[in-house]
Amino acid sequence: MELTVEQFVAACERAAGLVAEDLAGSFPDVETIVRMGIEDNFDNERSAADFWGGGGQWPERKVKGDGHPLLNESGALRAAATQKGAVGSVSRIEGDTLEVGVEASGPGGLPGARRHQYGDSPPGIRQREFVGISDDTLEFVAERVAEELVRKLF
């Protein structure tokens, strides 16, 4: 795409007038991208390494050899975090806000989710942050939002 200086200035003026709600058309795709990133966290048994710091492998379990991957005994927590519509899955779009994650309390919630995400001592549950956005995921999100911005401007 080629733009003249005048077209570019006009596009910038239109962009300045947009609010987050105008970009909400990208939210369903952004949700999918975020859930794919969370799935990667489960697949690799690690927290997202990102610009906020952190990241790295989840701590090993205290008792080895129980036969299932970390945080995946029944599959419910992984499903809630990675599949829209699964029991305990959070998927809300309200105005300019997209919320994706796991409901940790209330009807349909998974009470253990918070304990694993943040750790809990006592009883000595180590933190295994599964909901986190890596730099790679954030880059994919930015690309999708940029596509929506271009669509709105031109």
Side-chain angles (χ1 to χ4, degrees):
M1 170 191 309
E2 291 184 27
L3 293 176
T4 65
V5 172
E6 292 80 18
Q7 290 171 323
F8 178 74
V9 169
C12 289
E13 289 171 351
R14 285 194 304 276
L18 292 175
V19 295
E21 283 186 30
D22 293 319
L23 302 176
S26 65
F27 283 0
D29 291 341
V30 168
E31 177 182 1
T32 298
I33 293 166
V34 168
R35 289 191 186 278
M36 288 171 60
I38 294 170
E39 180 113 31
D40 188 53
N41 296 343
F42 275 94
D43 287 345
N44 294 295
E45 296 185 351
R46 64 153 172 79
S47 301
D50 54 32
F51 66 88
W52 293 290
Q57 291 301 122
W58 291 338
E60 293 184 17
R61 59 177 44 88
K62 293 176 191 168
V63 178
K64 293 185 182 213
D66 65 1
H68 63 83
L70 286 169
L71 301 187
N72 204 20
E73 184 172 10
S74 71
L77 181 60
R78 182 182 181 128
T82 62
Q83 299 172 22
K84 183 177 181 176
V87 173
S89 177
V90 172
S91 177
R92 295 184 191 104
I93 298 173
E94 295 178 17
D96 64 354
T97 302
L98 168 65
E99 184 178 357
V100 177
V102 177
E103 187 65 57
S105 61
L110 300 174
R114 176 168 283 137
R115 292 178 130 184
H116 291 295
Q117 178 74 10
Y118 301 107
D120 192 5
S121 180
I125 295 174
R126 296 189 246 172
Q127 180 180 14
R128 294 182 177 100
E129 180 185 19
F130 54 93
V131 175
I133 300 176
S134 70
D135 286 341
D136 289 342
T137 299
L138 192 59
E139 188 175 317
F140 289 129
V141 166
E143 287 173 9
R144 177 58 189 99
V145 172
E147 288 170 4
E148 185 70 12
L149 178 61
V150 167
R151 191 181 74 72
K152 289 283 186 177
L153 292 175
F154 302 102

